[in-house]
PDB file of all heavy atoms in Angstrom:
ATOM      1  N   GLN A 111     -16.987 -12.626   6.153  1.00 97.00           N
ATOM      2  CA  GLN A 111     -17.498 -14.000   6.212  1.00 97.00           C
ATOM      3  C   GLN A 111     -17.353 -14.539   7.632  1.00 97.00           C
ATOM      4  O   GLN A 111     -16.483 -14.120   8.397  1.00 97.00           O
ATOM      5  CB  GLN A 111     -16.691 -14.887   5.248  1.00 97.00           C
ATOM      6  CG  GLN A 111     -17.223 -14.854   3.824  1.00 97.00           C
ATOM      7  CD  GLN A 111     -16.450 -15.782   2.893  1.00 97.00           C
ATOM      8  OE1 GLN A 111     -15.666 -15.309   2.081  1.00 97.00           O
ATOM      9  NE2 GLN A 111     -16.657 -17.082   3.028  1.00 97.00           N
ATOM     10  N   GLU A 121      -5.432 -19.604   9.694  1.00 98.00           N
ATOM     11  CA  GLU A 121      -4.288 -20.423  10.117  1.00 98.00           C
ATOM     12  C   GLU A 121      -3.009 -19.966   9.396  1.00 98.00           C
ATOM     13  O   GLU A 121      -1.936 -19.885   9.998  1.00 98.00           O
ATOM     14  CB  GLU A 121      -4.535 -21.912   9.852  1.00 98.00           C
ATOM     15  CG  GLU A 121      -3.330 -22.730  10.275  1.00 98.00           C
ATOM     16  CD  GLU A 121      -3.584 -24.224  10.392  1.00 98.00           C
ATOM     17  OE1 GLU A 121      -4.748 -24.643  10.296  1.00 98.00           O
ATOM     18  OE2 GLU A 121      -2.590 -24.946  10.591  1.00 98.00           O
ATOM     19  N   GLY A 287       5.249   0.437  -6.851  1.00 93.00           N
ATOM     20  CA  GLY A 287       5.096   1.306  -5.679  1.00 93.00           C
ATOM     21  C   GLY A 287       4.066   0.788  -4.696  1.00 93.00           C
ATOM     22  O   GLY A 287       3.555   1.540  -3.887  1.00 93.00           O
ATOM     23  N   SER A 332      -8.525  -0.400   7.543  1.00 97.00           N
ATOM     24  CA  SER A 332      -9.772  -1.161   7.435  1.00 97.00           C
ATOM     25  C   SER A 332      -9.499  -2.654   7.549  1.00 97.00           C
ATOM     26  O   SER A 332      -8.428  -3.125   7.152  1.00 97.00           O
ATOM     27  CB  SER A 332     -10.432  -0.943   6.067  1.00 97.00           C
ATOM     28  OG  SER A 332     -10.435   0.389   5.674  1.00 97.00           O
ATOM     29  N   LYS A 407      21.542   7.755 -15.263  1.00 97.00           N
ATOM     30  CA  LYS A 407      20.796   7.786 -16.524  1.00 97.00           C
ATOM     31  C   LYS A 407      21.516   6.974 -17.598  1.00 97.00           C
ATOM     32  O   LYS A 407      20.886   6.358 -18.456  1.00 97.00           O
ATOM     33  CB  LYS A 407      20.603   9.233 -16.999  1.00 97.00           C
ATOM     34  CG  LYS A 407      19.825  10.125 -16.024  1.00 97.00           C
ATOM     35  CD  LYS A 407      18.428   9.618 -15.705  1.00 97.00           C
ATOM     36  CE  LYS A 407      17.659  10.577 -14.799  1.00 97.00           C
ATOM     37  NZ  LYS A 407      16.471   9.944 -14.182  1.00 97.00           N
ATOM     38  N   ASP A 474      12.170  17.334 -17.878  1.00 91.00           N
ATOM     39  CA  ASP A 474      12.140  18.564 -17.105  1.00 91.00           C
ATOM     40  C   ASP A 474      11.256  18.305 -15.878  1.00 91.00           C
ATOM     41  O   ASP A 474      10.040  18.474 -15.927  1.00 91.00           O
ATOM     42  CB  ASP A 474      11.556  19.693 -17.965  1.00 91.00           C
ATOM     43  CG  ASP A 474      11.657  21.036 -17.263  1.00 91.00           C
ATOM     44  OD1 ASP A 474      11.876  21.047 -16.032  1.00 91.00           O
ATOM     45  OD2 ASP A 474      11.527  22.060 -17.951  1.00 91.00           O
TER      46      ASP A 474
ATOM     47  N   ARG B  61      -9.635 -24.975   2.915  1.00 98.00           N
ATOM     48  CA  ARG B  61     -10.399 -24.929   4.163  1.00 98.00           C
ATOM     49  C   ARG B  61     -11.224 -23.653   4.291  1.00 98.00           C
ATOM     50  O   ARG B  61     -11.880 -23.440   5.306  1.00 98.00           O
ATOM     51  CB  ARG B  61      -9.458 -25.100   5.350  1.00 98.00           C
ATOM     52  CG  ARG B  61      -9.027 -26.571   5.489  1.00 98.00           C
ATOM     53  CD  ARG B  61      -7.986 -26.761   6.569  1.00 98.00           C
ATOM     54  NE  ARG B  61      -8.361 -26.072   7.772  1.00 98.00           N
ATOM     55  CZ  ARG B  61      -7.494 -25.618   8.667  1.00 98.00           C
ATOM     56  NH1 ARG B  61      -6.198 -25.788   8.463  1.00 98.00           N
ATOM     57  NH2 ARG B  61      -7.899 -25.011   9.744  1.00 98.00           N
ATOM     58  N   ARG B  63     -14.341 -21.358   2.659  1.00 97.00           N
ATOM     59  CA  ARG B  63     -15.464 -21.383   1.704  1.00 97.00           C
ATOM     60  C   ARG B  63     -15.439 -20.048   0.987  1.00 97.00           C
ATOM     61  O   ARG B  63     -15.614 -19.001   1.603  1.00 97.00           O
ATOM     62  CB  ARG B  63     -16.789 -21.581   2.436  1.00 97.00           C
ATOM     63  CG  ARG B  63     -16.880 -22.917   3.160  1.00 97.00           C
ATOM     64  CD  ARG B  63     -18.234 -23.054   3.834  1.00 97.00           C
ATOM     65  NE  ARG B  63     -19.285 -23.407   2.882  1.00 97.00           N
ATOM     66  CZ  ARG B  63     -20.585 -23.241   3.142  1.00 97.00           C
ATOM     67  NH1 ARG B  63     -20.983 -22.689   4.273  1.00 97.00           N
ATOM     68  NH2 ARG B  63     -21.489 -23.616   2.248  1.00 97.00           N
ATOM     69  N   GLU B 135      -5.982   2.398   1.770  1.00 97.00           N
ATOM     70  CA  GLU B 135      -7.360   1.927   1.691  1.00 97.00           C
ATOM     71  C   GLU B 135      -8.257   3.036   2.220  1.00 97.00           C
ATOM     72  O   GLU B 135      -7.755   4.103   2.585  1.00 97.00           O
ATOM     73  CB  GLU B 135      -7.593   0.594   2.433  1.00 97.00           C
ATOM     74  CG  GLU B 135      -6.808   0.374   3.695  1.00 97.00           C
ATOM     75  CD  GLU B 135      -7.090   1.398   4.763  1.00 97.00           C
ATOM     76  OE1 GLU B 135      -8.170   1.355   5.381  1.00 97.00           O
ATOM     77  OE2 GLU B 135      -6.221   2.276   4.976  1.00 97.00           O
ATOM     78  N   THR B 297       5.064  16.358 -18.151  1.00 96.00           N
ATOM     79  CA  THR B 297       6.070  17.372 -18.431  1.00 96.00           C
ATOM     80  C   THR B 297       6.598  17.098 -19.834  1.00 96.00           C
ATOM     81  O   THR B 297       5.932  16.429 -20.619  1.00 96.00           O
ATOM     82  CB  THR B 297       7.179  17.351 -17.355  1.00 96.00           C
ATOM     83  OG1 THR B 297       8.115  18.385 -17.636  1.00 96.00           O
ATOM     84  CG2 THR B 297       7.916  16.022 -17.308  1.00 96.00           C
ATOM     85  N   ASN B 329       2.684   2.993  -1.781  1.00 92.00           N
ATOM     86  CA  ASN B 329       1.235   3.152  -1.876  1.00 92.00           C
ATOM     87  C   ASN B 329       0.637   1.851  -2.417  1.00 92.00           C
ATOM     88  O   ASN B 329       1.104   0.765  -2.063  1.00 92.00           O
ATOM     89  CB  ASN B 329       0.884   4.398  -2.701  1.00 92.00           C
ATOM     90  CG  ASN B 329       1.383   4.303  -4.140  1.00 92.00           C
ATOM     91  OD1 ASN B 329       1.953   3.308  -4.567  1.00 92.00           O
ATOM     92  ND2 ASN B 329       1.163   5.345  -4.888  1.00 92.00           N
TER      93      ASN B 329
END
Side-chain angles (χ1 to χ4, degrees):
Chain A
Q111 274 182 254
E121 179 165 352
S332 316
K407 300 301 183 196
D474 187 344
Chain B
R61 284 174 47 207
R63 297 181 78 198
E135 35 61 74
T297 182
N329 62 3

